């Protein structure tokens, strides 16, 4: 017997919305867009979880401005645990090294074994920067900065859309995302590992520049990466294994892949590949970090999916037991059975 783990919600009974969202929605989203650009230029891109959540929440309010405030407050209520989880994650991973020397040499060896035949014995990060990195900013540096920034908002934005459209799937998304977070954080404590730029600073590699945010200079928007740069300075330098940047990118794509037409699959799958290039080229991760991150995604879907099916089957068995109680023996009669009369 198959059991649905994420049942679809009942059809909406309210009045249908206008096809274009109405003039009120257009005005509200325009105001939100202007405010977002102003905040981007003045403060920086929203890479902090709480800051990003405020912008996403404001976007949902603008999109559904005709809804009552209790609906918008319900969104905040459901998302507070998520924001707290992200904040705890960002703070706790800073203690992952515990003062110990991080792992680096074995990651270098792994990348050289896998790709040294094609890179002249160099790790892919060093090889890519030797061929692409220049003092002046090029168009690929701009793309790298945008792809790197997308890590901080794509999963949150996808989850916000799911919350608005189907809270059942939103819950399934969050269960998997939270599990991926937790397993990554545990690994940071058990196996603190340093990225290529750290290895270069400590003499284990040739010179490696940390260039994931340099693309903003092409537009003269030095303030655009303020929060991003500050976050990099304050981030934990030993949280490289696994690469949750590429893990999140692949996770979001795989979660929506089955509901997407196959002609769009190459475009969707190009996103985690672009994130991989971005992180390896910019000195943030080794390729082995990426591969382990992808393995964590597969483990997440497998473990959480099995847990959901087990829980659904358990609830189904309990419901059947409650609806169909076992028959009980009838109570014994207090009077003795009648004895037929004899002549």
């Amino acid at each position: 017997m198959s059991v649905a783990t994420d049942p679809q919600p009942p059809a909406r009974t309210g009045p249908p919305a206008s096809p274009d969202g109405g003039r009120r929605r257009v005005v509200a989203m325009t105001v939100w867009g202007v405010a977002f650009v102003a905040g981007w230029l003045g403060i920086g891109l929203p890479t902090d979880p709480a800051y990003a959540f405020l912008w996403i929440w404001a976007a949902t309010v603008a999109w559904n401005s005709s809804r009552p405030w209790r609906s918008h407050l319900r969104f905040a209520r459901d998302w507070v645990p998520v924001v707290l989880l992200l904040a705890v994650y960002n703070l706790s991973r800073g203690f992952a090294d515990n003062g110990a020397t991080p792992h680096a040499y074995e990651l270098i060896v792994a990348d050289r074994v896998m790709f040294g035949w094609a890179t002249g014995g160099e790790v892919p990060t060093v090889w890519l920067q030797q061929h692409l990195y220049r003092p002046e900013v090029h168009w690929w540096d701009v793309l790298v900065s945008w792809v790197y920034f997308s890590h901080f908002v794509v999963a949150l934005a996808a989850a916000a859309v799911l919350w608005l459209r189907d809270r059942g799937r939103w819950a399934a998304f969050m269960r998997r995302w939270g599990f991926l977070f937790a397993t990554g954080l545990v690994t940071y404590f058990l196996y603190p590992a340093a990225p290529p730029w750290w290895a270069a600073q400590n003499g284990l590699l040739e010179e490696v520049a940390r260039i994931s945010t340099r693309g903003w200079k092409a537009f003269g928007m030095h303030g655009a990466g303020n929060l991003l740069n500050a976050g990099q300075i304050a981030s934990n330098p030993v949280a490289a294994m696994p690469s949750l940047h590429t893990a999140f990118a692949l996770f979001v794509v795989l979660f929506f892949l089955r509901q997407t037409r196959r002609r769009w699959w190459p475009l969707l799958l190009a996103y985690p590949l672009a994130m991989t290039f971005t992180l390896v080229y910019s000195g943030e991760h080794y390729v082995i970090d990426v591969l382990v991150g992808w393995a964590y995604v597969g483990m997440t879907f497998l473990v959480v999916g099995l847990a959901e099916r087990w829980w659904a089957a358990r609830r189904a068995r309990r419901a059947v037991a409650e609806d169909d109680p076992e028959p009980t023996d009838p109570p014994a009669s207090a009077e003795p059975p009648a004895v037929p009369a004899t002549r």
Side-chain angles (χ1 to χ4, degrees), residues 47 124-125 128 140 142-156 211-213 216 228 232 240 242-253 266-291 293-294 297:
T47 57
T125 294
L128 286 173
W140 55 84
V142 177
L143 291 178
V144 161
S145 294
W146 277 111
V147 172
Y148 184 76
F149 161 70
S150 70
H151 160 76
F152 300 96
V153 295
V154 165
L156 284 173
I211 53 177
S212 53
T213 62
W216 310 124
L228 190 56
Q232 284 188 331
S243 170
L244 287 186
H245 284 72
T246 49
F248 288 170
L250 182 63
F251 164 73
V252 172
V253 168
L267 182 61
L268 290 178
L269 293 173
Y271 176 54
L273 295 178
M275 183 65 75
T276 297
F277 173 83
T278 290
L279 297 172
V280 175
Y281 165 63
S282 62
E284 299 289 346
H285 284 282
Y286 300 95
V287 178
I288 187 64
D289 303 335
V290 173
L291 298 179
W294 289 355
V297 174

Side-chain angles (χ1 to χ4, degrees), residues 107-253:
L107 307 182
I108 297 173
V109 171
D111 268 29
R112 283 176 173 166
V113 168
M114 289 188 295
F115 302 100
W117 59 272
T119 60
E122 299 287 356
V123 299
T125 294
V126 173
W127 186 85
L128 286 173
Q129 291 200 2
Q130 288 175 347
H131 288 78
L132 297 175
Y133 177 58
R134 301 292 182 270
E136 64 276 7
V137 177
H138 291 275
W139 62 267
W140 55 84
D141 295 309
V142 177
L143 291 178
V144 161
S145 294
W146 277 111
V147 172
Y148 184 76
F149 161 70
S150 70
H151 160 76
F152 300 96
V153 295
V154 165
L156 284 173
V161 173
L162 282 175
W163 190 93
L164 293 173
R165 296 174 62 90
D166 186 343
R167 290 192 71 249
R169 293 198 69 211
W170 174 80
F173 184 95
M174 284 303 174
R175 286 191 292 268
R176 288 158 176 78
W177 197 24
F179 183 86
L180 188 57
F181 257 120
T183 53
L185 181 59
V186 170
T187 306
Y188 295 152
F189 279 91
L190 297 178
Y191 189 83
W197 63 263
W198 185 96
Q201 289 181 357
N202 289 271
L204 299 177
L205 281 177
E206 297 182 22
E207 184 177 356
V208 173
R210 194 179 189 184
I211 53 177
S212 53
T213 62
R214 73 192 299 256
W216 310 124
K217 297 179 182 179
F219 299 98
M221 296 179 181
H222 302 288
N226 285 344
L227 287 179
L228 190 56
N229 293 330
Q232 284 188 331
I233 295 173
S235 64
N236 177 23
V238 299
M241 172 69 76
S243 170
L244 287 186
H245 284 72
T246 49
F248 288 170
L250 182 63
F251 164 73
V252 172
V253 168

Side-chain angles (χ1 to χ4, degrees), residues 290-314:
V290 173
L291 298 179
V292 173
W294 289 355
Y296 273 45
V297 174
M299 177 183 65
T300 295
F301 279 98
L302 177 63
V303 172
V304 178
L306 289 174
E308 287 176 340
R309 288 191 288 272
W310 172 83
W311 180 253
R314 182 174 181 270

